[in-house]
Amino acid sequence: MTNRNEPFDPAGSSDASPAHQPSLASGLEQITLRSPAELADALPYLLGFYPTDSVVMIALHGEKGRFGGRLRLGIPAIPEDWPDMCDQLADCLITGCRGRGHQVTGVIIFVCQDPEQGDSGHQVMERLRPLVQRLRVACGKLEAPVLEALCISAGTFWSYCCPDGRCCPREGTPLVLPGTSAMAAAATYAGIQVRGSLRQMEARLAPLSTTRLPEQERALDTAAGTLVPKMLGDSALAVRGRTLDLAAGTLERFKEADPVSGRAAADDRDDDLLAQDEAAEMILGLQDRVTRDRAAEWMEGPEAEPALRLWRALARRCVGAYSEHAAAPLTLAGWVAWSLGDEPEARVALSRALHADPDYIFARLLHQACNEGIDPELLRRSLREERAGRSADGALRSAVQEELRRIDARKGRQARPRKNGSRSVAQCASRQKPDPESSKRDAQAATASGQTCGRGATSPATDSPGDQESTPSTSELPMVPRQRRRSAPPRPAGGSRPAKRRGTGETRGPAGRPRVRRHGGPRDTNGTS
């Protein structure tokens, strides 16, 4: 069997993308594994960590059995759940690889579990034998034979497929010492690192179990009582800005922290740098989707490493009744780890996020994308464009506001009276306003001369001088006697005209309307009586 870089399986743990993490193929053309012992030794290098309490399945492609898609899942504690789980795992691995156009010629199975107190590795192997047998049957139904099935427990491995006691004795075969095999040498040459066991990786994201747990839960209660009403009301924007500012300040503090050696010591240092009240405030603030997406922009450059440490520390502070709130910081930790090329840690963080909240959509999408080998640069580019667009909008908004202030200032200068004999707009308007006394005298003179009898007459009190100049003279219009007009009867308060009663001698027209007797008299030039 040979180990080469192959496309990934859509579910479970898969090897890292060649564009973001070194692979064995980058160091050597191929590595041939000839025995179960070499397969057992190669498992942590294929996953990037030592699996514990896990089922690992690896698909083999082609005639030479190249390593392809791989899948990891925790072993269910209830044996009744094993049949359904085995069918689903086999279908997911084999069907997914074939859907990508790869020929699956075989499958390798690993079951890894440490013995409990009072048990032995051999007892663990026998207890997991029905699980392995069910997996072999499920793969056989899909025409993908299981070429090897190994159980690894307590530093020893057993083979379920080899009946020869000379190479696979009943008491098991000890694993080779770490770093002494050809696989370890090739992995070191290729730059591949094993990050410890799966249990150790999960411990960095687990809630605190120290004396600070009750105090942290009280801080979360206080923050929830203060922030949740604001986030659901009109102050959501203010809470969003406060959360991001607080996280940015914490990142600077993490950057300036002195380095320490060891994962446990580094986590303790980060916990000491984070106060309980600010941790509670950031945890509650990250429950907002927009705030979480803005925080996801700290994914590369000098911000990525302290951001990953911050999200780990916040995930550890989600204690007690707030364990579900860990989905947001765990998802951010998985995203930053994936963006940095650390896919094993990304899968662990995203898996814990889905364990905290199975319906957390952002974690589900990232987990699926990571398992399917999608390049994280696509998401990074989208976040960069969003940040650039937001910066451009802010710059444009500032420029528009500055221009509006200039316009307002310029209008204010124009409204002030000018010097050197020039008049303002208000002064010009006051000059055009007619004099009341002169308008009254003109109206009396026009009435005395009889000019108001014609329809073409104008009133100086109501028309401007320009209108009087453009209106024809009243001497040019025909003079007719003034007609007396009847005033309309007042309408009732309701706004409707009361119906008239038909009196004596009143007649109706063809349309049923009453005939109105018209008064005689001359008509004016417009034909109106």
Side-chain angles (χ1 to χ4, degrees):
M1 303 173 188
T2 58
N3 177 23
R4 289 186 178 179
N5 186 40
E6 293 291 335
F8 318 129
D9 192 73
S13 296
S14 59
D15 42 356
S17 172
H20 304 283
Q21 183 174 347
S23 63
L24 295 177
S26 61
L28 297 176
E29 179 63 23
Q30 67 179 18
I31 300 174
T32 303
L33 305 178
R34 298 181 175 87
S35 64
E38 293 180 349
L39 283 175
D41 177 67
L43 179 60
Y45 301 101
L46 296 175
L47 299 181
F49 56 89
Y50 294 93
T52 55
D53 295 330
S54 303
V55 177
V56 181
M57 301 178 65
I58 301 178
L60 302 179
H61 299 163
E63 297 179 356
K64 295 184 179 181
R66 300 188 309 274
F67 286 168
R70 57 212 69 183
L71 180 150
R72 189 206 65 84
L73 188 68
I75 299 176
I78 303 176
E80 287 75 10
D81 296 337
W82 291 354
D84 294 337
M85 182 203 72
C86 293
D87 295 338
Q88 294 176 8
L89 289 181
D91 180 74
C92 182
L93 176 68
I94 299 171
T95 305
C97 291
R98 289 173 177 171
R100 287 182 168 83
H102 299 284
Q103 180 185 6
V104 180
T105 57
V107 177
I108 298 177
I109 299 175
F110 299 87
V111 288
C112 308
Q113 190 175 69
D114 292 333
E116 299 179 356
Q117 187 176 2
D119 293 342
S120 63
H122 185 269
Q123 291 175 331
V124 173
M125 183 269 295
E126 293 295 340
R127 185 171 64 249
L128 297 179
R129 185 182 291 274
L131 173 62
V132 175
Q133 183 62 27
R134 182 72 186 189
L135 285 171
R136 297 177 66 180
V137 172
C139 293
K141 291 180 179 179
L142 298 176
E143 299 180 356
V146 175
L147 303 182
E148 186 60 87
L150 300 178
C151 176
I152 301 177
S153 179
T156 308
F157 73 89
W158 289 263
S159 175
Y160 292 103
C161 299
C162 181
D164 192 350
R166 293 173 297 179
C167 61
C168 298
R170 182 179 183 276
E171 62 274 13
T173 304
L175 295 171
V176 299
L177 294 176
T180 60
S181 63
M183 187 71 175
T188 303
Y189 182 80
I192 296 178
Q193 298 179 358
V194 179
R195 297 163 182 81
S197 66
L198 177 62
R199 186 177 293 108
Q200 292 173 345
M201 298 176 65
E202 292 178 341
R204 306 189 71 183
L205 305 172
L208 295 175
S209 58
T210 61
T211 57
R212 289 182 292 183
L213 190 149
E215 298 178 358
Q216 184 62 61
E217 190 169 5
R218 285 194 296 269
L220 286 167
D221 291 336
T222 303
T226 304
L227 296 180
V228 171
K230 295 181 179 180
M231 295 171 65
L232 299 178
D234 298 334
S235 302
L237 188 60
V239 174
R240 186 178 302 160
R242 166 65 180 170
T243 303
L244 294 174
D245 292 341
L246 191 59
T250 308
L251 287 182
E252 294 298 327
R253 196 187 316 155
F254 277 32
K255 288 180 183 179
E256 299 172 356
D258 296 332
V260 295
S261 59
R263 296 187 181 93
D267 293 341
D268 292 339
R269 175 204 57 192
D270 295 339
D271 290 335
D272 294 336
L273 293 174
L274 191 61
Q276 295 174 354
D277 54 348
E278 64 181 2
E281 190 172 350
M282 282 187 283
I283 289 172
L284 270 298
L286 287 175
Q287 305 308 309
D288 177 61
R289 181 182 60 83
V290 178
T291 306
R292 180 207 63 198
D293 294 346
R294 292 279 298 276
E297 296 176 359
W298 296 323
M299 59 191 171
E300 56 188 355
E303 300 173 338
E305 192 272 337
L308 179 58
R309 291 162 47 198
L310 174 59
W311 307 141
R312 286 201 207 106
L314 291 180
R316 293 192 293 267
R317 299 299 183 97
C318 297
V319 296
Y322 297 90
S323 59
E324 293 183 358
H325 289 65
L330 285 172
T331 303
L332 290 173
W335 157 239
V336 176
W338 184 34
S339 179
L340 292 175
D342 192 349
E343 294 191 3
E345 182 172 357
R347 292 190 183 91
V348 172
L350 294 173
S351 297
R352 290 195 63 86
L354 293 175
H355 180 74
D357 187 357
D359 297 328
Y360 203 67
I361 298 179
F362 191 33
R364 293 172 58 184
L365 293 176
L366 288 178
H367 191 257
Q368 181 180 3
C370 184
N371 288 330
E372 291 185 357
I374 297 176
D375 192 350
E377 178 61 23
L378 299 176
L379 183 54
R380 284 198 298 263
R381 187 183 304 122
S382 177
L383 291 176
R384 291 192 205 103
E385 293 175 355
E386 185 175 353
R387 176 188 287 185
R390 189 169 57 253
S391 301
D393 292 342
L396 179 60
R397 190 181 301 108
S398 301
V400 171
Q401 292 175 354
E402 181 65 23
E403 184 64 23
L404 290 177
R405 284 193 294 268
R406 293 177 181 175
I407 293 175
D408 293 340
R410 189 160 54 249
K411 287 183 178 180
R413 289 194 300 268
Q414 293 177 356
R416 290 195 297 269
R418 297 181 180 178
K419 298 181 180 180
N420 301 328
S422 59
R423 299 184 180 90
S424 63
V425 177
Q427 291 173 338
C428 295
S430 63
R431 286 198 66 204
Q432 295 180 0
K433 185 176 181 180
D435 185 24
E437 295 297 333
S438 60
S439 299
K440 184 176 181 180
R441 289 194 301 268
D442 294 341
Q444 292 176 355
T447 303
S449 61
Q451 294 179 3
T452 57
C453 295
R455 292 181 56 89
T458 60
S459 174
T462 57
D463 296 339
S464 63
D467 293 338
Q468 293 179 11
E469 294 176 0
S470 60
T471 303
S473 176
T474 56
S475 60
E476 300 177 359
L477 298 177
M479 302 299 295
V480 295
R482 181 185 297 181
Q483 303 295 326
R484 183 177 59 183
R485 297 180 180 274
R486 292 180 301 168
S487 60
R491 293 190 177 185
S496 61
R497 186 184 299 274
K500 294 183 179 181
R501 298 182 61 184
R502 185 173 180 179
T504 305
E506 185 177 356
T507 59
R508 296 276 180 175
R513 299 178 179 176
R515 299 180 183 274
V516 180
R517 181 176 299 175
R518 298 182 179 274
H519 297 277
R523 298 177 180 268
D524 60 7
T525 55
N526 295 327
T528 304
S529 60

